[in-house]
Amino acid sequence: MKGFVLKILIFCCCAFAKAVFSQSQPAQTDTITRSAPIFYDVLGNKVTYGATMPKLNQIAGAPKAYYSYYWELGDGNYSFEKEPKHSYSKKGTYKVQLWSTNNYDNGKPPASRPQQVTITESADEASNDASTPRKSLFKPDEDLRVLTNRDALPDQELVLITSYKNTKDYVTNGKLYLFYNDYQFKNDNFELVETRTHYNESIDLEDGIVSIRPVNASASYLTSTDDELNEMRKRYLLDSVKRTNLPLTLEESQSLYRDKQTISFNDMKPGEERSIFRTLRTTPEMLKDTSAIVTLRSIYVPDENYDDHTVKDTELEIVTSHDPNKMSSNGTIMNYRLVRSKKLKFKVKFQNDGEGPASTIRLEVDTPEMFDKSTLNVVDLYPNCPICPKEREVNYSCLDTLVKKDKIIFTFKRIYLPGTAQKGVTEKDSTKGFVKYEMKFGDDFHKVKTKSRTAIYLIRMNLFIRTIVPLVSYREFQLGQRQVPLLLPPKNLMNILLA
């Protein structure tokens, strides 16, 4: 009996010591580093690339996890394909890099070590080179294009791809500006880690610019006027615009952003297209601003002898995971005296995760009473189609809008939106859509918390699917000494940004 009691006492003491020891240890973190080693096959001047990807760690309840890919091929070209094939025009050794992103997956994106690939044959010497000319990156009316490889996640890197084209009929020298870290956020959004150029561009240390002639008269495509200040403020968050008053654009940009980088380029031939690549790291301080929308401003001056230029504002969402459906908001401080004249921009995002295309998509967005729904204005949408007429039914693709007391209903009719699991669909972005719209505050609003939900309805090949996402968190907009909290969804569908 004494032996039994002694065993019990020893067991209890050991259990107690184990509990105390476990409580004194720091919380265990995931220290496993996943890697995706690059492999390649060289044939003459042609190379086929790939990577051995680690197993995905599926987020429970989310759509099927998948990888997206971004390759830099070392000669100024890039690809978003899983296994790109590329022909090099010149002999040499090229540094090839891969950034892969794990969507609907727990953990960090896998890391890939850069590879040095040696090409011993030029395009003229390669007997196997029967490839067609590279397809242009630009639409007919474009000369500046800005892309990113992923959303901005705190303490992670993303790549900003800036492509520019000489649309003149003569050789040009010009400049590219990047403005970042907007003043509306107290902390910096990004750190500029590295800039990679491939056409002898140079990074300028001076901020000044000298304009010899204000406007190139041969540029018939220009739509701006000299008196632009008020108009530029209205167009601040538009996608891309042509302007003619470069000093004014630079002055305005410097008032909006803390940091900038200036790059000069030379000897750009007519019709030539180039790309530069920047690695940006989202600062850890942005963790408290997840669900925020930040902007980067790119300015392209195609000919340094003139003030003609293109301005492109790129929106980036600060997220907590790589999930195509996210809620975002960049509005945190507003002047109470001016708030009634402010318009809030909303962005409702969706993705078809099915095995077939969607022909109808219905979005029911609960809308707090603090907004004046009569001021609703659709700014942009995808799939791109006109607004449906109210007085009659039509047999073409259109977006129907229905405003009710407590919600706004958007319905895409007679569209074709591919599914992520659809056979033959390799570009995931083609399965995503959105509606961007704006509204004003109502005449009477107070500090209130509103609860709501967003519902998505998809009709795919005679299959009806309904998804409901409850709103479980809110973000406060400060109005002088007052605060107006808005209840917003943490993972889905509604992107709010202040105009």
Side-chain angles (χ1 to χ4, degrees):
M1 184 65 180
K2 290 182 180 180
F4 177 77
V5 173
L6 181 60
K7 289 181 180 180
I8 294 295
L9 288 174
I10 293 174
F11 173 80
C12 292
C13 290
C14 291
F16 176 77
K18 183 178 180 181
V20 172
F21 177 78
S22 64
Q23 290 176 7
S24 65
Q25 299 303 303
Q28 295 296 313
T29 58
D30 183 9
T31 59
I32 298 176
T33 301
R34 293 188 292 179
S35 62
I38 296 172
F39 60 84
Y40 58 92
D41 180 43
V42 181
L43 180 61
N45 72 323
K46 283 188 174 181
V47 185
T48 301
Y49 292 101
T52 304
M53 305 305 297
K55 183 180 179 180
L56 288 160
N57 186 9
Q58 175 74 48
I59 295 177
K64 185 178 180 181
Y66 64 92
Y67 283 113
S68 53
Y69 304 85
Y70 165 69
W71 296 82
E72 283 185 23
L73 303 173
D75 62 347
N77 291 287
Y78 63 92
S79 174
F80 288 99
E81 297 179 5
K82 179 180 179 180
E83 297 182 345
K85 296 178 174 64
H86 183 59
S87 298
Y88 292 88
S89 60
K90 299 179 181 179
K91 299 178 183 179
T93 299
Y94 299 92
K95 182 181 180 180
V96 178
Q97 301 182 73
L98 167 65
W99 286 262
S100 51
T101 304
N102 46 331
N103 301 274
Y104 301 122
D105 169 89
N106 288 303
K108 294 182 178 180
S112 297
R113 186 185 299 276
Q115 293 289 328
Q116 299 288 340
V117 180
T118 299
I119 304 299
T120 58
E121 295 184 25
S122 66
D124 296 333
E125 298 171 337
S127 59
N128 65 302
D129 190 13
S131 59
T132 58
R134 189 186 70 172
K135 184 179 179 181
S136 174
L137 300 172
F138 297 83
K139 297 178 182 178
D141 58 342
E142 278 187 327
D143 61 0
L144 177 64
R145 197 164 184 256
V146 181
L147 299 172
T148 59
N149 68 320
R150 60 171 65 131
D151 288 330
L153 195 150
D155 212 20
Q156 274 192 19
E157 291 182 350
L158 63 88
V159 178
L160 184 74
I161 309 139
T162 305
S163 302
Y164 58 104
K165 179 179 181 178
N166 182 8
T167 58
K168 313 294 184 184
D169 57 1
Y170 55 87
V171 176
T172 62
N173 304 326
K175 289 184 181 290
L176 287 159
Y177 297 86
L178 173 68
F179 288 87
Y180 60 102
N181 290 334
D182 33 349
Y183 275 114
Q184 67 175 326
F185 292 91
K186 181 180 179 181
N187 298 309
D188 288 348
N189 313 135
F190 302 105
E191 298 172 1
L192 183 53
V193 177
E194 183 185 16
T195 301
R196 297 175 294 282
T197 63
H198 298 276
Y199 300 92
N200 296 317
E201 297 99 332
S202 61
I203 299 175
D204 297 352
L205 300 178
E206 297 182 1
D207 291 339
I209 183 167
V210 177
S211 298
I212 296 179
R213 283 174 282 182
V215 178
N216 182 354
S218 66
S220 58
Y221 58 82
L222 293 173
T223 59
S224 301
T225 62
D226 289 336
D227 185 17
E228 290 183 316
L229 180 58
N230 292 330
E231 185 63 22
M232 280 197 295
R233 297 185 189 281
K234 296 177 184 177
R235 297 183 300 190
Y236 165 49
L237 283 178
L238 286 185
D239 182 44
S240 180
V241 291
K242 307 286 186 181
R243 300 182 184 175
T244 60
N245 193 331
L246 181 59
L248 188 59
T249 297
L250 294 176
E251 180 182 0
E252 178 209 29
S253 301
Q254 288 173 335
S255 70
L256 295 170
Y257 299 90
R258 281 190 288 272
D259 297 299
K260 82 167 183 175
Q261 183 189 62
T262 306
I263 293 179
S264 296
F265 62 88
N266 297 294
D267 301 324
M268 193 171 186
K269 298 177 182 178
E272 185 178 357
E273 300 175 9
R274 299 177 178 178
S275 296
I276 60 176
F277 310 94
R278 298 178 177 95
T279 299
L280 300 171
R281 179 181 290 113
T282 309
T283 61
E285 292 80 11
M286 290 305 292
L287 183 62
K288 66 180 181 181
D289 286 313
T290 53
S291 302
I293 292 181
V294 300
T295 60
L296 304 172
R297 171 168 289 191
S298 301
I299 301 173
Y300 172 47
V301 184
D303 187 344
E304 62 183 5
N305 296 308
Y306 301 97
D307 278 358
D308 308 348
H309 60 286
T310 302
V311 179
K312 190 175 185 68
D313 292 320
T314 304
E315 296 177 354
L316 293 175
E317 301 175 19
I318 305 295
V319 301
T320 55
S321 63
H322 295 296
D323 181 342
N325 298 315
K326 286 290 182 182
M327 180 282 302
S328 301
S329 166
N330 77 336
T332 55
I333 300 177
M334 299 172 61
N335 189 313
Y336 182 68
R337 292 176 298 174
L338 302 177
V339 68
R340 298 185 190 283
S341 63
K342 292 281 186 179
K343 284 188 176 180
L344 272 69
K345 287 185 179 179
F346 302 80
K347 190 174 183 180
V348 181
K349 297 171 57 178
F350 53 89
Q351 183 175 33
N352 180 6
D353 294 308
E355 297 181 356
S359 59
T360 301
I361 297 177
R362 179 184 172 98
L363 309 170
E364 295 190 1
V365 185
D366 288 3
T367 305
E369 294 182 359
M370 65 179 65
F371 295 105
D372 182 359
K373 300 178 187 62
S374 66
T375 63
L376 172 68
N377 177 44
V378 177
V379 177
D380 198 6
L381 68 158
Y382 185 84
N384 194 11
C385 58
I387 304 298
C388 298
K390 297 296 183 183
E391 65 277 5
R392 68 183 191 280
E393 284 291 327
V394 295
N395 59 1
Y396 54 79
S397 301
C398 62
L399 176 69
D400 183 56
T401 59
L402 178 62
V403 178
K404 293 190 175 183
K405 180 181 178 180
D406 59 347
K407 67 179 61 180
I408 300 173
I409 301 174
F410 300 98
T411 305
F412 286 86
K413 297 182 176 181
R414 300 176 181 86
I415 63 167
Y416 184 96
L417 189 71
T420 57
Q422 183 175 329
K423 185 178 180 180
V425 174
T426 59
E427 182 54 58
K428 298 295 183 180
D429 285 345
S430 67
T431 67
K432 300 175 185 177
F434 69 89
V435 177
K436 183 186 287 187
Y437 60 99
E438 59 185 9
M439 285 187 300
K440 290 184 178 181
F441 281 110
D443 292 333
D444 186 24
F445 57 89
H446 305 282
K447 182 178 179 181
V448 294
K449 295 180 181 180
T450 58
K451 293 184 178 181
S452 187
R453 64 182 182 179
T454 300
I456 318 171
Y457 302 82
L458 297 94
I459 297 179
R460 294 196 297 253
M461 302 294 291
N462 298 322
L463 178 65
F464 182 76
I465 300 175
R466 182 173 187 258
T467 303
I468 298 179
V469 180
L471 295 161
V472 297
S473 65
Y474 69 91
R475 189 174 181 85
E476 292 188 347
F477 293 84
Q478 184 173 331
L479 307 177
Q481 299 300 317
R482 299 180 58 185
Q483 290 184 336
V484 177
L486 296 181
L487 197 66
L488 303 173
K491 289 190 64 176
N492 187 9
L493 305 180
M494 190 183 297
N495 294 339
I496 301 181
L497 63 94
L498 295 177

